[in-house]
Amino acid sequence: MSQRKSDTLKTYADLMEASGLLMEAALYGQEETHPDVLTYDSREVKANTMFICKGAAFKETYLVSAIEKGAVLYISERKYETGKDVPFLLVSDIRKAMAILANAFYGSPWKELTVVGVGGTKGKSTSAYYMKAIVDDYMEETGKPESAVISSIDIYDGKSRVESHITTPEAVELQRHFRNAADCGITFAEMEVSSQALKYNRVDGMLFDVGIFLNISEDHISPIEHPDFEDYFTSKMRMFAQTDHAVVNLDADFADRILEAAQAAGDVTTISQKDENADYYAYQIRKDGHETKFSVRSKEGEEDYCLTMPGLFNVENALAVIAAAKILHIPDSCIHSGLLRARSSGRMELYASKDKKIIAIVDYAHNKLSFEKLFSSIREEYPDYAIKAVFGCPGKKAYIRRKDLGTIAGQYAQKVYLAAEDPGYEPVEEISGDIAQYVQAQNCPYVMIEDRGEAIRTAIEESEDRTVILVTGKGNETRQKYGSEYIDCPSDVEYVKKYLESYDQIHESTCRRK
Ligand SMILES: CC(=O)N[C@H]1[C@@H](OP(=O)(O)OP(=O)(O)OC[C@H]2O[C@@H](n3ccc(=O)[nH]c3=O)[C@H](O)[C@@H]2O)O[C@H](CO)[C@@H](O)[C@@H]1O[C@H](C)C(=O)N[C@@H](C)C(=O)N[C@H](CCC(=O)O)C(=O)O
Ligand SMILES: Nc1ncnc2c1ncn2[C@@H]1O[C@H](COP(=O)(O)OP(=O)(O)OP(=O)(O)O)[C@@H](O)[C@H]1O
């Protein structure tokens, strides 16, 4: 929440009228009041606040509290009996209204930034951080501040850098972050654009200078996300209508339909690892130790690139941001240097025992597409290593993952360790039992160990010879959702480091005794 000298209540009422959303207004002589806070959370309300009443779990007591704390206007889809002449605007669609108000209140700050949006089912965070690495090398070269980033990992807007708990924030926070960035002299922002963001109007009213669309596979189907795949897909396609330059991956499933939707953008640039006619075509993808090298052919000629972050599937993400960087005329030197150092926290973070027998990779894969890409890539990158898997599934959502992940892990792994992964209101052993049936169907041994630390420790300790242990689904997150609470806990990265260190101590002492 930030404070600004904004327009008057009358201006906001006229804005709602002009947008066709206004059903009723009463300003009770406060027309010329200048509110200087906009929020939808009563806990943030202070004197002179515009308060938005929204949410499935919204309660009238929140409005009562907001008024007591100094709200000078409330915007809502229904009228409340406040017992006082509190100015209000009744609107037909609070989410559309919230985005319009946020853009007006913060002065459409996205216009002062070059904004790259990344959409798709898998690779959004990784691609956003690849883009950030490239852009920040360019910012350093030109003496400008590092770019802002809005992702499911963290949010940096020039004023603060915080761990994120949502992929794309609500319009009020989103435009506030852009306003903070612009006010700090930042000129670039990368962000993830989730399907819910597009469905729930969080990014309404703004344009993406470049809109990357990576891939689509079934995910986020549940009562609180998308009722079905069609709703998920059509929500994601909405990004193109607010995109100047679209980057489309021709290797994605449903590429024809994506390309058709992309015509809504100003122009379309294509990428591929299969279709040589793509604007940017990647080929000769090869491993060199932990590094991934590949060549790219475009109308400008041919160039070689190198990723030091493992995962052959990351070539897709790198190719997308190479195209975006070229569209934005970022120098090639920054593209190469950015990709060389690019990391995405909790994505393909590789740790090894000193004897190199145990490789543990912490990754964020948690759906069918990312599991297929991850396990097949690791099989190809480490052909003479056994694979073990440590993971779980969240409670009360995306149920299809239990079959998908259990089947895929069971196909590739020597053993599977099923642990807690944001169980929410569901007992962990029920979730693990659901997954286990599919692991068992692949004749793969498994064990259920609720505590992730214990599961990781056991997997490492039980590994005698060359083994890659894939610890997936939580990345660097430092909390687990139990019930409605988020309980702090060590991250998978911390557990892996801790138990590899123990493994090294045990094996070093064993070697010394021999
Ligand atoms: C289904 C969904 O997207 N819900 C989001 C939505 O909830 P909501 O608008 O229904 O609000 P609510 O939290 O249910 O209702 C409580 C309302 O009362 C207000 N309140 C609450 C307490 C109080 O004391 N005073 C007060 O005023 C709250 O500010 C809120 O507006 O707005 C909330 C913020 O206001 C989000 O936290 C919440 O995300 C929930 C946690 C969620 O799970 N969202 C997921 C589905 C999501 O959005 N995921 C996507 C994609 C993820 C991916 O790509 O993997 C994402 O972009 O993260
Ligand atoms: N281009 C890709 N195609 C398939 N899988 C990928 C791709 N990029 C990354 N992955 C896998 O998906 C996992 C999640 O990657 P990332 O966090 O970048 O995607 P995301 O779209 O932000 O995911 P989410 O929407 O779940 O936050 C990675 O840890 C990796 O296992």
Side-chain angles (χ1 to χ4, degrees):
M1 173 197 67
S2 68
Q3 300 189 357
R4 289 173 38 78
K5 196 70 184 146
S6 71
D7 296 317
T8 63
L9 295 192
K10 172 94 175 57
T11 313
Y12 293 114
D14 293 346
L15 200 54
M16 290 295 99
E17 173 82 58
S19 62
L21 293 172
L22 189 65
M23 297 192 303
E24 187 182 346
L27 298 183
Y28 300 113
Q30 298 294 319
E31 281 76 2
E32 295 314 308
T33 298
H34 279 269
D36 49 26
V37 175
L38 173 67
T39 182
Y40 57 77
D41 193 334
S42 62
R43 292 161 292 195
E44 290 186 354
V45 173
K46 54 196 305 185
N48 225 10
T49 293
M50 280 196 288
F51 180 63
I52 296 169
C53 305
K54 67 96 187 164
F58 185 78
K59 296 183 177 70
E60 184 165 355
T61 54
Y62 300 153
L63 175 57
V64 171
S65 164
I67 292 167
E68 283 165 1
K69 291 159 83 174
V72 290
L73 174 76
Y74 74 88
I75 304 97
S76 171
E77 285 182 350
R78 56 159 286 202
K79 194 187 293 185
Y80 292 96
E81 291 313 316
T82 59
K84 306 174 190 166
D85 289 344
V86 178
F88 64 84
L89 301 176
L90 293 192
V91 295
S92 52
D93 184 323
I94 193 66
R95 294 199 152 277
K96 286 181 181 170
M98 184 156 71
I100 293 168
L101 290 169
N103 273 284
F105 182 79
Y106 290 107
S108 298
W110 52 272
K111 290 180 179 172
E112 300 165 47
L113 303 165
T114 297
V115 182
V116 177
V118 187
T121 299
K122 284 294 143 198
K124 296 189 298 297
S125 301
T126 301
S127 301
Y129 283 90
Y130 282 6
M131 193 80 239
K132 182 167 177 53
I134 291 169
V135 167
D136 288 353
D137 281 4
Y138 183 37
M139 292 299 103
E140 190 174 342
E141 194 176 276
T142 51
K144 291 182 183 159
E146 78 166 277
S147 59
V149 61
I150 294 171
S151 84
S152 56
I153 296 173
D154 63 11
I155 291 175
Y156 170 69
D157 67 2
K159 286 196 173 171
S160 67
R161 193 185 305 270
V162 294
E163 183 178 344
S164 173
H165 301 308
I166 197 163
T167 299
T168 309
E170 297 286 4
V172 173
E173 277 100 346
L174 181 63
Q175 297 308 325
R176 184 193 76 209
H177 289 307
F178 288 146
R179 173 47 58 209
N180 288 346
D183 290 354
C184 292
I186 290 175
T187 57
F188 253 92
E190 310 83 22
M191 67 178 286
E192 294 182 49
V193 186
S194 68
S195 54
Q196 276 91 351
L198 291 155
K199 177 174 180 154
Y200 292 121
N201 312 97
R202 296 180 194 165
V203 294
D204 273 14
M206 65 171 285
L207 292 177
F208 300 105
D209 294 270
V210 177
I212 293 171
F213 195 82
L214 294 165
N215 49 56
I216 183 98
S217 79
E218 185 150 332
D219 199 6
H220 300 295
I221 311 300
S222 77
I224 68 159
E225 297 174 290
H226 295 280
D228 54 36
F229 180 66
E230 183 56 28
D231 182 71
Y232 178 57
F233 199 150
T234 48
S235 296
K236 281 202 175 289
M237 291 299 99
R238 289 170 58 171
M239 183 175 79
F240 293 120
Q242 54 193 105
T243 289
D244 196 2
H245 305 286
V247 174
V248 171
N249 174 18
L250 297 179
D251 304 342
D253 289 348
F254 309 100
D256 291 346
R257 181 172 166 188
I258 296 166
L259 262 182
E260 185 185 338
Q263 302 315 309
D267 59 43
V268 181
T269 297
T270 57
I271 66 168
S272 175
Q273 300 173 62
K274 297 172 185 165
D275 183 343
E276 295 193 27
N277 298 317
D279 295 315
Y280 291 89
Y281 167 63
Y283 61 100
Q284 281 181 1
I285 295 142
R286 62 238 184 238
K287 290 297 287 184
D288 182 354
H290 288 308
E291 296 184 348
T292 304
K293 295 184 174 176
F294 60 101
S295 303
V296 174
R297 183 184 306 140
S298 69
K299 60 182 183 305
E300 294 171 24
E302 313 208 357
E303 289 188 74
D304 294 331
Y305 294 90
C306 176
L307 289 175
T308 55
M309 185 173 153
L312 294 170
F313 48 79
N314 280 316
V315 170
E316 181 173 284
N317 302 324
L319 188 56
V321 300
I322 289 167
K326 297 278 191 181
I327 290 166
L328 294 169
H329 307 299
I330 293 175
D332 289 344
S333 58
C334 299
I335 300 176
H336 287 275
S337 59
L339 289 178
L340 209 51
R341 67 185 183 87
R343 287 290 181 277
S344 175
S345 171
R347 277 77 178 159
M348 296 306 286
E349 290 202 35
L350 186 147
Y351 300 90
S353 58
K354 285 184 177 169
D355 62 13
K356 299 288 183 267
K357 283 186 179 175
I358 311 294
I359 293 175
I361 295 178
V362 175
D363 188 57
Y364 202 62
H366 54 251
N367 80 340
K368 183 178 181 183
L369 176 66
S370 53
F371 251 52
E372 278 169 348
K373 290 282 183 91
L374 173 63
F375 280 80
S376 57
S377 179
I378 294 303
R379 166 61 62 244
E380 194 174 336
E381 294 180 71
Y382 301 96
D384 51 353
Y385 278 71
I387 294 176
K388 287 185 173 180
V390 181
F391 68 95
C393 281
K396 301 280 186 209
K397 63 187 276 194
Y399 297 97
I400 190 70
R401 292 182 190 170
R402 301 177 191 188
K403 176 173 178 286
D404 293 339
L405 306 194
T407 302
I408 294 165
Q411 286 167 342
Y412 283 90
Q414 178 192 70
K415 185 170 183 179
V416 171
Y417 301 75
L418 297 170
E421 194 167 307
D422 296 325
Y425 287 100
E426 229 179 312
V428 175
E429 64 186 76
E430 267 183 33
I431 301 172
S432 299
D434 268 357
I435 304 167
Q437 62 186 307
Y438 300 105
V439 177
Q440 202 162 29
Q442 301 298 324
N443 299 316
C444 173
Y446 70 89
V447 63
M448 299 199 286
I449 304 174
E450 174 164 348
D451 180 88
R452 285 182 81 92
E454 270 310 293
I456 293 167
R457 184 183 63 75
T458 308
I460 290 174
E461 282 187 2
E462 288 182 351
S463 298
E464 283 309 311
D465 207 344
R466 284 180 296 194
T467 307
V468 173
I469 300 172
L470 296 176
V471 182
T472 57
K474 292 293 286 175
N476 246 325
E477 291 176 1
T478 56
R479 57 185 208 166
Q480 277 257 35
K481 187 175 182 182
Y482 276 90
S484 61
E485 298 299 312
Y486 286 93
I487 313 295
D488 291 338
C489 63
S491 71
D492 287 349
V493 169
E494 290 168 278
Y495 282 132
V496 159
K497 286 177 176 175
K498 176 181 176 184
Y499 295 121
L500 277 178
E501 197 176 315
S502 312
Y503 171 94
D504 286 338
Q505 286 163 1
I506 293 166
H507 284 73
E508 276 169 355
S509 58
T510 309
C511 294
R512 274 200 298 275
R513 279 202 299 273
K514 282 179 180 173

